[in-house]
Amino acid sequence: MDIKMLWIAAALVLVLPGVCVGEGILPLGPLSGAEAGKVTFATTLQPPESPFLSISWSFNGANIITSTSTIISEPGYANRFSLDRATGTLELRKLVLEDSGEYAITITPDAGRPKKGTVTLKVYAPITGAVIRSPEEAILIEDKSSTNLSCEASGSISTRVWMKDNQPLHQSDRVTFSVGNKTMALQPVDSSNHGTLQCRVSNPFSTMTAERHLTVNYGPHNISITGPSAAAPGERVTLECTADSVPRANFSWMFNGNDTHVNNSMYIIERFEAESIGNYVCTATNMVTMRENSTVLNLRASCSAPSWSFFLLLINTLILRGLK
């Protein structure tokens, strides 16, 4: 049979009397409802001139409501439904999770073929008790340690979304998710994982976000010295060393290769003299990661015209250094 004949046969099926074809008198669905809430199965029918002979609703193949001259329902639906006998529309109240399933309607009109329709309902329980769980607390060190986190909650869960500082996390070489995003593996952790992690659990009717602070020990990174690169004679000079580090880094200073015994982030020269000219090295040390990093600032005399005494002192200092 060629394509033309197939089209003719299909057309005959649609128009031949007595052949049952689906009439979409219910929405495509699926419909959704909240536990203890309500849902309306609205048909597409307009009230007919003559009342329907019968309206029958079934759930998962079993009849639950029948309307003829009277309305009869199964015990589990008493006092929690309304039926519009003019259109067949059904409102179901006080929903329970067991109401999830397939609903079908069959309407017998005063004249003509029966009208039918089916639609699926999903009832959602509210989300409660969302929490992020992790294995026993351990010291996490960037590029060395790994961890697995699980997002748990009660209720009907449709989606789980992992976030860091309210921004969604995406799968990468270091970040992987299980099916359904219930667990997230960080292998290994890095500095970007340090901070507040969130897991947002939701369904069409409720949402809950769990939070957990994750401490990742890292650094020191991005060490730098802030302060002037040149100073005038007699000027007070303050140098400050900073680094990105968890926990906070320890600092030490060297001047022209010699230990200054200054062990904090600030190095203060109360009065700049010729002897103050040279290289100031700050070293940052993380006592957990056991890593250190250093940077240097070269401090010189200001280009402004110095006094003769300062000029002579500078020459004398340079000569003495040369003799050593």
Side-chain angles (χ1 to χ4, degrees):
M1 183 180 293
D2 60 20
I3 297 297
K4 184 176 180 180
M5 293 299 294
L6 286 174
W7 278 106
I8 293 173
L12 288 173
V13 168
L14 292 175
V15 300
L16 284 175
V19 176
C20 179
V21 293
E23 298 182 25
I25 66 171
L26 289 175
L28 293 177
L31 300 181
S32 58
E35 188 177 25
K38 65 181 180 180
V39 68
T40 300
F41 302 92
T43 71
T44 59
L45 302 177
Q46 297 296 321
E49 293 183 2
S50 299
F52 296 131
L53 297 180
S54 68
I55 301 171
S56 176
W57 278 95
S58 64
F59 172 62
N60 289 340
N63 189 72
I64 56 174
I65 298 168
T66 301
S67 170
T68 51
S69 57
T70 59
I71 298 177
I72 301 174
S73 68
E74 291 299 307
Y77 297 88
N79 301 319
R80 66 185 194 101
F81 78 91
S82 298
L83 179 66
D84 184 349
R85 300 175 71 172
T87 63
T89 293
L90 173 68
E91 179 186 84
L92 189 59
R93 300 180 295 274
K94 301 178 183 178
L95 294 174
V96 294
L97 297 181
E98 291 74 18
D99 288 327
S100 297
E102 185 179 79
Y103 290 78
I105 184 175
T106 300
I107 295 179
T108 304
D110 185 45
R113 293 181 292 108
K115 303 176 184 295
K116 297 183 179 182
T118 59
V119 68
T120 299
L121 171 66
K122 170 64 176 178
V123 179
Y124 294 87
I127 303 293
T128 59
V131 64
I132 297 175
R133 301 190 187 280
S134 64
E136 292 184 6
E137 290 296 330
I139 297 176
L140 299 177
I141 298 176
E142 66 170 342
D143 299 328
K144 290 184 178 180
S145 308
S146 298
T147 190
N148 292 311
L149 303 166
S150 63
C151 180
E152 301 175 11
S154 299
S156 303
I157 299 173
S158 298
T159 60
R160 287 183 177 90
V161 177
W162 287 91
M163 299 174 289
K164 166 69 167 55
D165 298 328
N166 296 311
Q167 297 298 316
L169 290 172
H170 302 287
Q171 188 146 316
S172 66
D173 292 340
R174 292 175 180 259
V175 182
T176 56
F177 302 99
S178 66
V179 176
N181 288 355
K182 184 174 182 178
T183 62
M184 177 176 65
L186 303 175
Q187 299 176 324
V189 296
D190 68 5
S191 58
S192 67
N193 302 136
H194 177 78
T196 302
L197 295 172
Q198 294 115 355
C199 179
R200 187 175 63 219
V201 188
S202 61
N203 63 39
F205 297 93
S206 62
T207 299
M208 191 172 185
T209 300
E211 293 189 349
R212 188 179 186 90
H213 183 80
L214 189 69
T215 298
V216 176
N217 299 277
Y218 65 87
H221 301 318
N222 304 322
I223 183 171
S224 64
I225 298 174
T226 57
S229 58
E235 183 179 353
R236 187 177 191 270
V237 178
T238 299
L239 306 179
E240 183 176 7
C241 191
T242 59
D244 294 334
S245 178
V246 173
R248 188 178 184 275
N250 295 332
F251 298 97
S252 61
W253 292 85
M254 295 187 72
F255 171 58
N256 288 335
N258 299 312
D259 189 359
T260 66
H261 303 291
V262 175
N263 296 312
N264 56 60
S265 61
M266 305 285 287
Y267 188 97
I268 299 175
I269 304 169
E270 293 294 346
R271 183 179 177 84
F272 182 77
E273 303 290 352
E275 292 89 344
S276 307
I277 296 173
N279 292 326
Y280 292 80
V281 176
C282 174
T283 299
T285 304
N286 185 316
M287 301 307 294
V288 175
T289 66
M290 302 307 296
R291 296 172 181 170
E292 65 178 33
N293 203 351
S294 299
T295 189
V296 60
L297 180 142
N298 179 261
L299 183 61
R300 61 186 186 277
S302 173
C303 292
S304 60
S307 65
W308 278 107
S309 61
F310 180 79
F311 183 71
L312 292 173
L313 182 58
L314 175 60
I315 292 176
N316 185 54
T317 300
L318 294 175
I319 291 172
L320 291 174
R321 289 182 182 174
L323 291 176
K324 291 180 180 179

